[in-house]
């Protein structure tokens, strides 16, 4: 059987751009955390809890986590595209990764908003 | 001078092996190709491609002590002994240091490496003119000699040589996108906007590291992406 080489999916630019934007979001959050640890110095559980349960911090954390999951999706898909050659297996793994990351995102919301 | 050279003749050898050579050089032997020609004179079973012997034709690209380069412009004095020579990685070996470059050229042809312009020239006896600034845009792009040092040092090309255009092909693609006389920019960008053809490049820059002509495919690829972003936003 002749194996046909198929390309021309006409996507990729958006993902490439998103990977860079999410990287900037994650770097900004990392700097924010560094700043908090260095200058705000929350030293015990109560201080951390008070910090993390503020609405702006919840939103910042959620943005960071969503950026992380989106970034991870693009990166993992790239790795699978390089190394997993059978298309059926690749699709199965990609679906698994999407479901896992969506579940993580929902779980993140539950964790962040359950702090009082 | 000591050499270890990859040998494989599919007609005779069950598998490839490394053969040692110890060769007496003449004071006029400056470049690796000079030594290879001397080895070939002693052992005429060794197969390699070479032609211009001055870094213009791109025939004698090979893996020299783990790094792709042209034998004819690689100074012997700079090489650590024993000099280990292998064929370019990632392409099928035909014999010894000769690889089958079909896949590489297929990718090059896929970007349509010629000017596409349907407009009639200003007059039949006149060229399509460019300003010096427009011509300058092509510097660092047109000099590629298609030796394949870059593409065969790129892991993305190793994993997907049938789908990823590779640094040499993408440099050539940008050479025509950057040319003011070419009118097919939009079609060229459409053709490259693909997770495999362009976006397998993860900017690890092996191509820039090995290019014997000092070209920068990663920068050209970045400019293609830049144009795509400008087109999209």
């Amino acid at each position: 059987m002749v194996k046909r080489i198929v390309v021309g999916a006409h996507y990729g630019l958006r993902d490439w751009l998103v990977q860079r934007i999410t990287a900037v979001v994650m770097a900004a959050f990392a700097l924010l955390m560094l700043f908090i640890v260095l200058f705000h110095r929350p030293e015990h559980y109560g201080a951390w809890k008070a910090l993390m349960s503020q609405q702006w911090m919840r939103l910042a954390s959620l943005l960071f986590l969503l950026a992380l999951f989106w970034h991870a999706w693009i990166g993992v898909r790239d790795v699978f595209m390089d190394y997993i050659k059978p298309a059926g297996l690749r699709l199965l793994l990609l679906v698994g990764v999407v479901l896992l990351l969506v579940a993580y995102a929902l779980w993140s919301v539950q964790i962040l908003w359950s702090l009082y | 001078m000591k050499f270890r050279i990859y040998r494989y003749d599919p007609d005779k050898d069950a598998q490839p092996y490394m053969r040692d050579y110890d060769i007496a050089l003449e004071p006029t032997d400056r470049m690796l190709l000079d030594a290879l020609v001397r080895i070939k004179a002693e052992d005429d079973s060794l197969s390699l491609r070479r032609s211009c012997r001055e870094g213009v034709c791109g025939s004698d690209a090979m893996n020299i002590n783990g790094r792709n380069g042209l034998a004819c412009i690689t100074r012997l004095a700079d090489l650590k002994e024993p000099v280990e020579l292998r064929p370019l990685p990632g392409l099928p070996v035909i014999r010894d240091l000769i690889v089958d470059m079909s896949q590489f050229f297929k990718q090059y042809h896929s970007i349509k490496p010629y000017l596409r312009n349907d407009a009639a020239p200003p007059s039949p006896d006149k060229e399509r003119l460019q300003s010096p600034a427009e011509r300058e845009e092509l510097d660092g792009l047109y000099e590629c000699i298609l030796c394949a040092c870059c593409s065969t040092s790129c892991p993305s090309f190793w994993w997907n040589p049938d789908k990823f255009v590779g640094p040499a092909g993408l440099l050539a693609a940008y050479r025509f996108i950057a040319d003011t006389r070419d009118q097919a920019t939009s079609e060229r960008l459409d053709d490259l906007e693909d997770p495999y053809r362009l976006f397998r490049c993860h900017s690890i820059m092996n191509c820039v590291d090995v290019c014997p002509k000092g070209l920068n495919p990663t920068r050209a690829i970045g400019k293609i992406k830049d144009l795509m972003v400008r087109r999209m936003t």
Side-chain angles (χ1 to χ4, degrees):
Chain A
M1 201 182 89
V2 183
K3 202 176 124 227
R4 285 176 63 87
I5 307 294
V6 279
V7 286
H10 293 300
Y11 75 89
L13 176 66
R14 192 176 298 252
D15 293 321
W16 175 79
L17 202 56
V18 165
Q19 204 168 33
R20 266 126 202 96
I21 294 168
T22 50
V24 171
V25 172
M26 289 190 289
F29 186 80
L31 286 176
L32 173 72
M33 287 310 275
L34 190 71
F35 183 83
I36 288 171
V37 169
L38 285 181
F39 298 103
H40 188 66
R41 293 179 182 274
E43 271 167 6
H44 48 87
Y45 177 73
W48 273 109
K49 197 171 156 181
L51 174 73
M52 297 304 288
S53 57
Q54 294 176 69
Q55 189 68 359
W56 70 269
M57 192 60 198
R58 275 186 191 142
L59 288 172
S61 306
L62 186 64
L63 280 180
F64 163 75
L65 288 167
L66 292 179
L68 174 68
F69 299 143
W70 202 350
H71 194 89
W73 157 242
I74 297 163
V76 169
R77 189 183 60 192
D78 272 341
V79 172
F80 284 177
M81 283 167 87
D82 281 342
Y83 296 103
I84 315 277
K85 293 295 173 184
L89 177 64
R90 194 168 61 223
L91 186 63
L92 193 75
L93 286 170
L94 288 176
V95 170
V97 170
V98 171
L99 294 176
L100 195 66
L101 290 175
V102 170
Y104 284 164
L106 296 172
W107 193 9
S108 309
V109 173
Q110 196 213 350
I111 292 170
L112 289 169
W113 266 266
S114 64
L115 290 171
Y116 283 105
Chain B
M1 193 167 180
K2 289 187 170 59
F3 294 86
R4 292 200 75 202
I5 304 181
Y6 176 103
R7 300 299 309 267
Y8 180 55
D9 179 353
D11 290 339
K12 283 193 286 186
D13 306 322
Q15 48 185 345
Y17 61 97
M18 299 300 288
R19 179 156 169 195
D20 291 314
Y21 293 90
D22 197 348
I23 205 95
L25 296 176
E26 298 292 322
T28 50
D29 294 340
R30 303 263 175 194
M31 300 295 178
L32 175 58
L33 183 62
D34 299 329
L36 280 170
V37 169
R38 225 163 265 291
I39 293 171
K40 171 99 178 154
E42 274 189 19
D43 174 7
D44 65 1
S45 71
L46 175 68
S47 305
L48 67 141
R49 288 196 183 105
R50 86 273 182 277
S51 179
C52 76
R53 55 105 185 91
E54 56 184 8
V56 173
C57 74
S59 301
D60 62 353
M62 56 186 72
N63 189 272
I64 306 157
N65 280 346
R67 202 183 136 91
N68 290 352
L70 299 176
C72 55
I73 54 171
T74 300
R75 282 155 38 99
L76 283 167
D78 297 339
L79 294 173
K80 220 180 97 210
E81 287 184 68
V83 182
E84 206 169 284
L85 300 177
R86 294 171 184 272
L88 289 176
L91 292 176
V93 175
I94 294 175
R95 185 171 156 165
D96 299 340
L97 299 175
I98 298 177
V99 290
D100 179 356
M101 311 249 293
S102 311
Q103 192 66 68
F104 173 77
F105 285 119
K106 226 167 157 175
Q107 291 298 358
Y108 174 65
H109 290 140
S110 80
I111 60 104
K112 302 204 165 80
Y114 38 83
L115 283 178
R116 287 154 78 191
N117 189 333
D118 292 333
S123 76
D125 57 345
K126 274 215 153 166
E127 302 87 354
R128 297 176 203 272
L129 296 179
Q130 284 189 303
S131 70
E134 289 170 342
R135 168 59 189 76
E136 240 170 60
E137 288 288 299
L138 307 181
D139 287 344
L141 304 171
Y142 78 92
E143 298 94 329
C144 173
I145 56 173
L146 297 174
C147 64
C149 281
C150 58
S151 290
T152 58
S153 69
C154 172
S156 289
F157 190 75
W158 296 340
W159 310 152
N160 291 289
D162 49 350
K163 294 179 183 162
F164 176 48
V165 173
L170 291 169
L171 183 88
Y174 185 66
R175 180 248 171 276
F176 289 99
I177 289 170
D179 196 314
T180 50
R181 295 164 298 179
D182 187 276
Q183 294 181 330
T185 303
S186 186
E187 288 97 311
R188 291 182 189 281
L189 293 180
D190 285 345
D191 170 59
L192 291 175
E193 190 166 356
D194 181 272
Y196 283 100
R197 283 177 65 69
L198 173 67
F199 289 100
R200 280 304 86 196
C201 169
H202 304 308
S203 311
I204 67 162
M205 298 174 83
N206 274 12
C207 51
V208 184
D209 183 44
V210 299
C211 179
K213 306 300 279 186
L215 307 180
N216 191 329
T218 306
R219 191 194 295 141
I221 292 167
K223 286 184 173 175
I224 295 174
K225 289 171 177 167
D226 189 55
L227 284 176
M228 285 181 173
V229 172
R230 279 207 270 156
R231 187 170 75 149
M232 184 182 76
T233 50

